[in-house]
């Protein structure tokens, strides 16, 4: 995620030992840095084009990677963050390679998710944490738990059914607000978050009321965090059942 610091020794070694490296990175400067690690780095960035379906782009990326695998090369795909988090092409490449009998492995990376826990001081274990791709939250009937954190990915292009746009406007974000307003008050404070991709940068941490989200600037690389709006509700029935179990198991232990 951040140039220079967020790469494991093992990931670096896979890059250095590959015959061909494909780069699915978010930042041109990070790509320049990768170019210093290997002489044959091929950018996947040119496959993206506004107006072209991202599914077509992803399939072309997988084809490019698999063509080199089938040619007998050692291939390393480098994707920013964690290559398996909200990323279709890395999973698909590995799935196809394995189905054709080639050994394939995914090395985990430091995701935007990991950075947000650190930068925002959030422990997902405290109240629980749901993650949704923002458009999926609109396209399908999902159950939001407002006593947990909610992390929304790809809000910058929320509601894009064409899969071909790089951003959607305030009217689309208003639909997201209307869906969230079923579970949260309009004055509930959300966090627009972007982790640093260069060591000289600071993360973007901007607080905005839910009702003001349509007018807020939310870009491709931003993630929106919705903190819990309600306290956890004790489940008295289940607690009573567990207490009864405690008594029963203590009794069994006493008999034994
Ligand atoms: C296609 S996903 C890729 C995620 C990436 N694989 C990862 O592990 O973070 C793109 C989404 O990731 C999130 N994202 C990407 N870069 C980010 C950054 N620098 N800070 C926060 N979120 C980011 C945004 O929600 C963005 O819309």
């Amino acid at each position: 995620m951040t140039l220079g610091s967020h790469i494991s020794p093992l990931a670096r070694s896979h890059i250095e030992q590959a015959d061909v490296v494909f780069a699915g990175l978010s930042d041109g400067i990070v790509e320049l840095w990768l170019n210093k690690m290997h002489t044959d780095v091929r950018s996947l960035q040119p496959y993206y084009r506004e107006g072209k379906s991202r599914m077509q782009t992803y399939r072309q990326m997988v084809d490019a990677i698999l063509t080199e695998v089938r040619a007998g090369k050692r291939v390393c795909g480098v994707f920013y963050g964690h290559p398996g988090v909200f990323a279709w092409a890395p999973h698909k490449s590995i799935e196809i390679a394995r189905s054709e009998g080639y050994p394939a492995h995914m090395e985990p990376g430091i995701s935007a998710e990991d950075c947000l826990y650190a930068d925002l001081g959030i422990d997902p274990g405290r109240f629980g944490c749901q993650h949704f791709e923002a458009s999926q939250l609109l396209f399908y009937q999902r159950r939001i738990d407002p006593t947990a954190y909610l992390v929304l990915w790809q809000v910058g292009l929320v509601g894009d059914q064409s899969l071909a746009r790089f951003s959607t406007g305030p009217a689309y974000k208003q639909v997201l607000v209307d869906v969230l307003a079923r579970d949260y008050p309009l004055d509930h404070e959300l966090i627009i978050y972007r982790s640093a991709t260069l060591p000289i940068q600071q993360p973007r941490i901007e607080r905005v009321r839910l009702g003001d989200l349509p007018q807020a600037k939310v870009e491709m690389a931003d993630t929106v965090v919705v903190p819990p709006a309600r306290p956890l509700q004790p489940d008295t029935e289940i607690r009573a059942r567990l207490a009864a179990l405690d008594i029963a198991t203590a009794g069994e232990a006493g008999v034994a």
Side-chain angles (χ1 to χ4, degrees), residues 1 26 48 58 79-88 90 109-116 133 151-157 193-197 201 204 219-224:
M1 185 57 72
S26 56
Y48 286 105
Y58 297 154
F79 296 85
Y80 74 92
H82 187 308
V85 173
F86 290 84
W88 190 86
I110 296 179
S111 164
E113 176 182 356
D114 303 299
C115 298
L116 81 80
E133 201 279 327
V151 180
L152 297 176
W153 298 68
Q154 306 202 133
V155 174
L157 35 87
Y193 170 73
R194 189 186 318 158
S195 70
T197 51
Q201 290 171 338
R204 176 185 185 196
E219 295 182 351
M220 285 271 273
D222 291 318
T223 297
V224 173

Side-chain angles (χ1 to χ4, degrees), residues 47-49 52-61:
Y47 289 111
Y48 286 105
R49 196 167 21 89
K52 171 181 170 185
S53 163
R54 278 191 295 285
M55 259 345 275
Q56 193 190 347
T57 296
Y58 297 154
R59 287 189 198 287
Q60 287 174 339
M61 289 177 174

Side-chain angles (χ1 to χ4, degrees), residues 37-194:
M37 278 184 232
H38 200 283
T39 49
D40 189 358
V41 176
R42 304 180 193 178
S43 177
L44 293 170
Q45 219 50 35
Y47 289 111
Y48 286 105
R49 196 167 21 89
E50 191 135 31
K52 171 181 170 185
S53 163
R54 278 191 295 285
M55 259 345 275
Q56 193 190 347
T57 296
Y58 297 154
R59 287 189 198 287
Q60 287 174 339
M61 289 177 174
V62 172
D63 279 351
I65 291 169
L66 265 294
T67 299
E68 294 303 323
V69 172
R70 291 176 191 130
K73 306 258 182 69
R74 274 177 78 103
V75 181
C76 181
V78 182
F79 296 85
Y80 74 92
H82 187 308
V85 173
F86 290 84
W88 190 86
H91 281 295
K92 198 69 190 172
S93 302
I94 287 177
E95 181 194 317
I96 295 176
R98 284 183 183 156
S99 75
E100 294 180 11
Y102 300 101
H105 163 81
M106 181 180 285
E107 190 57 30
I110 296 179
S111 164
E113 176 182 356
D114 303 299
C115 298
L116 81 80
Y117 295 145
D119 287 333
L120 303 181
I122 290 174
D123 181 344
R126 180 133 190 252
F127 300 114
C129 189
Q130 289 182 306
H131 287 256
F132 290 112
E133 201 279 327
S135 294
Q136 194 189 70
L137 188 66
L138 303 190
F139 299 159
Y140 298 92
Q141 296 181 22
R142 310 305 303 259
R143 285 171 64 181
I144 292 174
D145 176 359
T147 67
Y149 285 97
L150 173 68
V151 180
L152 297 176
W153 298 68
Q154 306 202 133
V155 174
L157 35 87
V158 67
D160 172 29
Q161 297 195 70
S162 70
L163 297 179
R165 278 180 278 184
F166 287 174
S167 70
T168 50
Y172 290 81
K173 278 192 256 138
Q174 184 61 52
V175 179
L176 175 64
V177 169
D178 293 346
V179 168
L180 292 175
R182 294 173 186 156
D183 292 289
Y184 300 92
L186 286 174
D187 62 359
H188 188 59
E189 204 173 69
L190 324 183
I191 305 164
I192 302 172
Y193 170 73
R194 189 186 318 158

